[in-house]
Amino acid sequence: MSFSRVDEATSSKPKSKSKKLSRSDAFDGGYVEMAANFFEKMEAQMGELVSRMGFEKDVSTARKQVFDALQIMEDLTFEQRLKVTSRICDNSKNLDIFFCLTDENKANMVQLIIEGCY
């Protein structure tokens, strides 16, 4: 038995190392792409969460500002202040309107809300 035949047999076979590397590269490329997509989506979701948290903080501050603005209206009861604050803070449109008005017009808006006309 000759060892030269064994050497010839092993040396004549094509090496599949390059194929394995290309499969690995394809897998790595797919994994990297999948991970990149995942992180892009997570970044967008985190941005939305932060935005919502900021909005809630702004609304909370606005509620306090509305309630404080109603303090100068001495004829209002505590319950009326709560009702008016809640109604004004229902949406951003009402908040914008309220803070654009003069004190006299704010009082008129408050009266409309108490009467159920606004």
Side-chain angles (χ1 to χ4, degrees):
M1 178 177 219
S2 170
F3 288 109
S4 63
R5 285 190 178 169
V6 173
D7 290 339
E8 288 175 9
T10 57
S11 65
S12 64
K13 288 184 183 177
K15 295 190 180 192
S16 61
K17 233 182 189 180
S18 63
K19 288 183 182 179
K20 287 183 182 177
L21 287 177
S22 65
R23 285 186 201 155
S24 176
D25 289 344
F27 174 75
D28 289 345
Y31 178 75
V32 169
E33 184 178 333
M34 181 182 70
N37 289 336
F38 172 77
F39 287 117
E40 283 178 21
K41 289 177 185 177
M42 287 303 296
E43 182 179 2
Q45 290 175 348
M46 292 298 286
E48 188 176 330
L49 270 172
V50 168
S51 174
R52 286 182 186 180
M53 287 172 25
F55 175 77
E56 289 300 320
K57 175 87 170 127
D58 293 344
V59 170
S60 177
T61 302
R63 281 189 203 106
K64 183 173 178 1
Q65 289 174 343
V66 169
F67 195 80
D68 290 346
L70 296 176
Q71 294 290 350
I72 63 170
M73 299 177 195
E74 295 174 358
D75 57 327
L76 294 177
T77 66
F78 177 76
E79 290 81 12
Q80 288 173 324
R81 282 190 187 101
L82 283 177
K83 178 182 178 181
V84 171
T85 300
S86 177
R87 179 70 173 101
I88 290 172
C89 294
D90 274 348
N91 61 51
S92 59
K93 180 180 170 185
N94 289 341
L95 279 169
D96 289 342
I97 292 170
F98 183 78
F99 285 116
C100 289
L101 298 174
T102 63
D103 287 344
E104 183 180 335
N105 288 330
K106 284 179 185 176
N108 290 336
M109 182 180 183
V110 167
Q111 192 60 39
L112 288 171
I113 292 171
I114 291 171
E115 294 171 356
C117 298
Y118 186 87

